[in-house]
Amino acid sequence: MATAGGRHVVEGEIGEEDKKPLSPVVKKTQDQMDVVEELIGMIENVKSIGEFRKTQRKECQSLVRRLKLLLPFLEEFRDLDKPIPEAALECLNKLKKAFISAKKLLTTCHCGSKIYLALETEAIMVRFHSVYAKISRALDGMPYEELGISDEEKEQVELMRAQIRRSRSRADTQDMEFTMDLMVALSTENDRNADIASVERLANKLALRTVEELKAETLAVRRLVKDRRGHNAEGTQQITLLLKKFQKFAAVPETGALDDPLMPKTRKKCASAVEIPHEFLCPITLEIMIDPVIVATGQTYERESIQQWLDSGHRTCPKSGQELTHLSLAPNFALRNLIRQWGTKNNFQLFTKEASANPKNPVTEDDGEILSLVQNLSSSQLDVQRSAVEKIRILSKESPANRILIASSGGIQPLVQLLSYPDSKIREHAVTATLNLSIEESNKKLISRENPIPAIIEILRSGTVGAKENSAAALFSLSMLDENKATVGDLNGIPPLVLLLKNGTIRGKKDAVTALFNLCLNHSNKSRAIEAGIVTPLLSLLEDRNLDMIDEILSLLLLLASNPEGRQEIGQLSFIETLVNFIRDGTPKNKECATAVLLQLGSNNSNLILAALQYGVYEHLVEVTKSGTDRGRRKANSVLQLMSKAEQIP
């Protein structure tokens, strides 16, 4: 017995009035309970995260689902009424670190830059695998029996761990079509129709078409640039290049992705003096409006900005996304007067925009001209037809608005018919106009319904040089529809593309490479391309420095290497040496692509791995694991593992 404040207290007992610290055992148990509550709270938190970016949506949903499987276990853990072993506390702390990593990753995939997440798909996948590894390691030493955890909850945890193991062993796959589009869009060239088509497809896949979407992406890029603090300048440059291309495609003025983060240009001009009311800013440019106008939905925009939006073929309200019932613009006099009064009161200079002496009137304003040209496509007079199809070709390249109007005016059917016309010049104009129209996603199916592919393939075989190039580009664009991939192969369209690859101009070879890549995403077309002799010219083109398509060619060879006949043709010692040279001296992307091809070949033939070792690839692969791209590092590590196994084979 002991005395405390005149009372008798049993040794080990703590009275209510005693204000002493808790004993070490009880204190430790309370800490453990706090960790469990924190873990449960984090799972509830990630459950409430909204929509994830499309490029990582499936993996994010899987991670959230697997975390939720741990909830019943943690809740049972929380309800335990006895001290918890030290081993369990260690597991809980490891699990907390894993959950923090998971939450950070899911947040990035929820509100991070869409362009960054697309370019860094492989790196993000590595982060998912890292999170899974941390969770699995954290649960390795959990003493379930000592804790008294029920068999049912233990089975749930083991189910989740089994799912993690399957996820980590899943083959490394890529959306090759998406990858090729990224390569084409990141090209410095902007004059090819294939480039425009790639930018459009990427904009659709990444949901970066509207002003609101691009505005949100710009802010996300600014946050990313700020977080990087000047590191990874090359990657940042690629992201901003794509952002500018998306803005240009959507006819949105560039908003300066590298400006001070989260600070719109107009607000920066006067931030130290006065804050501009939000309603005075144009939703498109975020600049103060000088000539505000109202569109059909009731939203107000700066006249010049919304007119540019409409002239680019858009028929929706940029802010709300609603369809515009008419395209009339009504001056918002009330708002304009308020802006002027505010400017006078706050000594804010409003710069009046001078009217252009020669305002640019887009051709689309004269719908009658396009209707007339479409009618003349069916004229019985050769000169009239030739003139009409040539003008349609020019107009269809100028803007999305023209492409939509030509299609809606019934221009597709007569254009497709002219693909088989005896006059070679008319055929060339027709196939080029068809290519231009196909850039608009909604036109692809309309064109395909008219069965243009046989005629396009015939032009590819026998047309002029320019006609052949544009035929290849047209097949590339139309083969974005899976059914057209098969159709081109069935109609023997692969051999003339391979011939263009061998004998075409630099531009023709580029169009052939992009078309063949797209077509070879169809399994049957891989065999057709190999039979047509695609491998030899591809290997030859790797030596052509004027072509500047090393990454695209290596990606196409990677596709072909998934076919047994392709591997046999590609897997020559001279090509292995070429791959080693790229891994040694190429750009970071060259090294990544070359390493991926070596991995594909070596996974099926250990002799090729040994040959690469003879050519001195080992030290260069080690360098890639240290300083290569994220995907390049992964591929290089996989090749090094293959080499270790190959050297052990007697």
Side-chain angles (χ1 to χ4, degrees), residues 542-567:
L542 283 175
E543 309 298 327
D544 187 347
R545 302 302 177 188
N546 293 322
L547 195 62
D548 192 26
M549 288 192 79
I550 290 171
D551 298 335
E552 291 87 339
I553 293 170
L554 288 173
S555 295
L556 179 49
L557 287 168
L558 178 61
L559 270 182
L560 297 172
S562 66
N563 178 286
E565 291 82 8
R567 284 196 296 274

Side-chain angles (χ1 to χ4, degrees), residues 23 39 56 71-72 153 172 186 226 251 253 265 287 305 378 441 503 559 561 583 607:
S23 70
L39 291 172
Q56 283 79 26
L71 261 181
E153 303 312 339
D172 179 29
L186 286 170
K226 182 181 179 182
K265 287 182 180 179
E287 294 184 357
S305 301
S378 304
E441 201 65 29
N503 305 323
L559 270 182
I583 295 170
N607 289 330

Side-chain angles (χ1 to χ4, degrees), residues 21-91:
L22 296 173
S23 70
V25 174
V26 178
K27 183 76 163 64
K28 185 179 71 173
T29 303
Q30 184 174 325
D31 287 345
Q32 291 168 344
M33 290 303 99
D34 289 343
V35 174
V36 174
E37 288 288 1
E38 197 171 350
L39 291 172
I40 292 172
M42 279 194 273
I43 294 177
E44 293 295 343
N45 187 272
V46 299
K47 280 168 58 180
S48 65
I49 294 177
E51 192 78 1
F52 297 105
R53 302 305 196 205
K54 189 175 180 181
T55 43
Q56 283 79 26
R57 186 172 300 157
K58 184 176 179 181
E59 201 60 47
C60 287
Q61 291 169 343
S62 296
L63 176 54
V64 172
R65 186 172 63 251
R66 287 161 186 160
L67 291 175
K68 285 163 64 177
L69 286 175
L70 290 174
L71 261 181
F73 160 68
L74 291 171
E75 288 168 349
E76 185 170 319
F77 203 131
R78 177 187 60 192
D79 296 338
L80 293 174
D81 57 358
K82 59 181 179 180
I84 298 172
E86 192 70 34
L89 178 60
E90 187 178 345
C91 290

Side-chain angles (χ1 to χ4, degrees), residues 218-460:
T218 299
L219 295 178
V221 171
R222 289 176 182 171
R223 288 194 296 270
L224 178 68
V225 172
K226 182 181 179 182
D227 292 342
R228 284 185 166 180
R229 298 179 181 177
H231 297 296
N232 196 1
E234 183 182 352
T236 301
Q237 188 176 7
Q238 288 184 330
I239 291 169
T240 53
L241 171 64
L242 281 178
L243 178 60
K244 288 175 182 177
K245 288 193 175 186
F246 292 140
Q247 289 171 334
K248 182 177 179 181
F249 178 77
V252 177
E254 295 174 11
T255 52
L258 297 180
D259 287 347
D260 189 33
L262 305 180
M263 183 68 79
K265 287 182 180 179
T266 307
R267 290 176 181 265
K268 283 170 43 176
K269 292 176 184 176
C270 61
S272 60
V274 63
E275 184 78 2
I276 303 174
H278 180 74
E279 60 271 21
F280 292 176
L281 301 176
C282 173
I284 295 177
T285 63
L286 290 181
E287 294 184 357
I288 194 165
M289 289 182 279
I290 307 301
D291 186 11
V293 292
I294 304 170
V295 298
T297 58
Q299 296 287 348
T300 297
Y301 300 92
E302 175 63 32
R303 182 185 293 276
E304 181 181 332
S305 301
I306 191 62
Q307 190 63 60
Q308 188 177 15
W309 169 266
L310 298 174
D311 290 347
S312 297
H314 298 286
R315 295 297 178 264
T316 56
C317 173
K319 188 170 183 179
S320 69
Q322 293 176 266
E323 193 78 25
L324 296 173
T325 55
H326 62 78
L327 304 183
S328 300
L329 303 177
N332 191 334
F333 294 115
L335 182 59
R336 185 170 65 181
N337 290 335
L338 284 174
I339 292 173
R340 289 180 177 177
Q341 291 169 13
W342 174 87
T344 301
K345 180 180 178 181
N346 291 279
N347 197 27
F348 185 92
Q349 186 174 2
L350 297 171
F351 296 94
T352 306
K353 297 178 181 178
E354 297 179 5
S356 173
N358 296 300
K360 182 181 177 181
N361 294 316
V363 179
T364 52
E365 289 184 0
D366 188 1
D367 296 358
E369 181 184 359
I370 284 181
L371 285 169
S372 176
L373 289 172
V374 168
Q375 291 170 357
N376 288 342
L377 292 176
S378 304
S379 172
S380 58
Q381 300 177 44
L382 179 61
D383 290 344
V384 173
Q385 269 189 317
R386 185 180 290 172
S387 174
V389 72
E390 183 177 8
K391 288 179 180 177
I392 289 285
R393 168 185 178 167
I394 294 169
L395 292 173
S396 62
K397 186 173 183 177
E398 283 185 356
S399 72
N402 288 352
R403 292 193 280 274
I404 292 170
L405 185 55
I406 291 167
S408 64
S409 299
I412 288 176
Q413 185 179 36
L415 271 176
V416 171
Q417 291 172 350
L418 290 177
L419 292 172
S420 304
Y421 201 81
D423 184 88
S424 62
K425 205 63 185 173
I426 285 182
R427 285 203 307 274
E428 181 176 346
H429 289 319
V431 76
T432 308
T434 302
L435 163 63
N436 294 340
L437 292 178
S438 71
I439 292 171
E440 196 67 33
E441 201 65 29
S442 59
N443 286 344
K444 283 184 173 64
K445 289 190 176 181
L446 297 176
I447 294 170
S448 299
R449 288 174 192 163
E450 301 299 326
N451 193 27
I453 291 176
I456 294 175
I457 292 174
E458 184 54 41
I459 295 173
L460 182 61

Side-chain angles (χ1 to χ4, degrees), residues 11 147 200 333 478 482 503 560 571:
E11 191 170 355
L147 289 167
E200 180 180 24
F333 294 115
L478 291 172
D482 287 338
N503 305 323
L560 297 172

